[in-house]
Amino acid sequence: MNTSLVRKGVVVLAVAGLLGTTVTTAEAGPPRNGALQEKLDALVGQFPAALATVSRGGRTESLVAGSARLGSRVPVPADGRVRAGSNTKTFTAVVVLQLVAEGKVELDAPIERYLPGLVPGGSAITVRQLLQHTSGLPNYTEYLGVDDIAKLQHRYFEPHELLALALAHPAKFAPGTKWEYSNTNYVLAGLLIERVTGRPVAEQITDRVIRKAGLRNTYWPQAGDQAIRGPHPQGYARSGDEVIDVTELDPSWGWAAGQLISSPGDLARFSRALLDGKLLPAAQLAEMRKTVDAPLLPGWRYGLGLFRVPLSCGGVYWGHGGDIPGFETRGGATDDGRSVGLAVTALPGTYGDPEQGAQAVVSAVDTAFCR
């Protein structure tokens, strides 16, 4: 799938002999998510560890499988912190839509109005098209060298460096004529937030979203912060013929498109708070949920920083997901009160077939919602 910050390669390797456990965080009673636990245990064939948090009917459970560290039997922390990757886009989109509600930004105004002279053809690209990935702007991660993660792992980038990488290449298509995922759109959204508010995007996301939603395990790493604070599993990525530990990584190349650290539980809580109207007025939430076809998997559609994903048991969930070296995250929430966050500690393709790995994660999320 192309919902990530990176492009995946194909590698075949096996992971064996790892732990599989269930941790219940509800008040009492045995775990109810046996089917999901089986899915998480099966994921350990392609990922070192898997973590999930499921909420429904007033009950929340956190489940884990695998080992927090390759080559050892280290318990995976329940609801441990992970790099959230492109889930950051939804946080960024929420702040932009809050500014729309405050009358400081117009969704259908050109980005040229807010960032004059910065984007070639910016008078024809609207704020909505940036948030919806219909701008046609090239994706800077295609030119970043992410496939050689060992060289990129500790490199710091300024947002304008990322933008320059993209804008050195021609547009992919005319604005509004097609959907194509591009992290460049959200670098521009972050710059828009900073220009309109006069404050750093990290501060705006923290104050307007993270604190407002009551997220305890979510934070924006500051410049130079390469670690993951608090309990967390290690994350792994392939570099050439080796699998390396990329838990410590400079996430600045993700910026407003992918810099956040969170946990499966916090990602589920964020989605729940969003759908429950705690972060946006009804009018802006409705705009966020206006979708176009996103041809990644059958039935998938994209709104403003938000995927609409069909469920095998009927209905849909709303969420995002993120891929960044070391971690893949998926999940979201339904209108009837269910919410799910799931993470694995490598990208699909690190330890097996990338398509099979990606499908296995999607299937596990579907099971979390439907069983």
Side-chain angles (χ1 to χ4, degrees), residues 176-260:
T177 62
K178 185 180 176 182
W179 184 91
E180 187 171 309
Y181 198 89
S182 174
N183 293 290
T184 307
N185 293 318
Y186 277 79
V187 169
L188 286 166
L191 293 172
L192 164 67
I193 290 168
E194 294 193 335
R195 178 65 63 88
V196 170
T197 64
R199 301 299 304 169
V201 67
E203 176 193 272
Q204 292 297 294
I205 285 177
T206 300
D207 292 347
R208 290 171 170 268
V209 185
I210 295 172
R211 290 176 180 161
K212 197 169 182 180
L215 307 181
R216 299 178 181 178
N217 291 312
T218 304
Y219 68 95
W220 182 290
Q222 296 302 307
D225 186 355
Q226 300 188 66
I228 299 177
R229 303 197 299 265
H232 62 274
Q234 304 297 104
Y236 297 90
R238 180 159 287 277
S239 178
D241 295 330
E242 294 183 293
V243 172
I244 63 173
D245 188 327
V246 291
T247 312
E248 289 198 1
L249 176 146
D250 193 313
S252 57
W253 57 270
W255 202 56
Q259 186 150 337
L260 284 177

Side-chain angles (χ1 to χ4, degrees), residues 47-92:
F47 307 97
L51 310 80
T53 295
V54 182
S55 295
R56 60 160 66 89
R59 181 185 176 97
T60 298
E61 286 186 311
S62 290
L63 301 89
V64 300
S67 175
R69 187 182 297 273
L70 269 181
S72 305
R73 294 175 62 83
V74 178
V76 180
D79 198 31
R81 292 178 177 179
V82 296
R83 295 197 186 277
S86 289
N87 292 286
T88 305
K89 291 180 174 67
T90 315
F91 288 71
T92 301

Side-chain angles (χ1 to χ4, degrees), residues 268-282 285 289 318 333-339:
R269 280 185 284 276
F270 166 61
S271 296
R272 179 79 277 132
L274 178 60
L275 291 197
D276 287 349
K278 295 179 180 179
L279 301 176
L280 287 174
L285 182 57
R289 287 161 55 121
W318 298 86
T334 62
D335 287 323
D336 64 6
R338 292 168 286 168
S339 55

Side-chain angles (χ1 to χ4, degrees), residues 257-306:
Q259 186 150 337
L260 284 177
I261 286 171
S262 190
S263 72
D266 261 15
L267 292 174
R269 280 185 284 276
F270 166 61
S271 296
R272 179 79 277 132
L274 178 60
L275 291 197
D276 287 349
K278 295 179 180 179
L279 301 176
L280 287 174
Q284 280 67 49
L285 182 57
E287 293 292 341
M288 197 175 201
R289 287 161 55 121
K290 291 179 180 178
T291 62
V292 296
D293 185 40
L296 301 172
L297 287 172
W300 284 43
R301 298 182 65 82
Y302 200 85
L304 305 183
L306 200 61

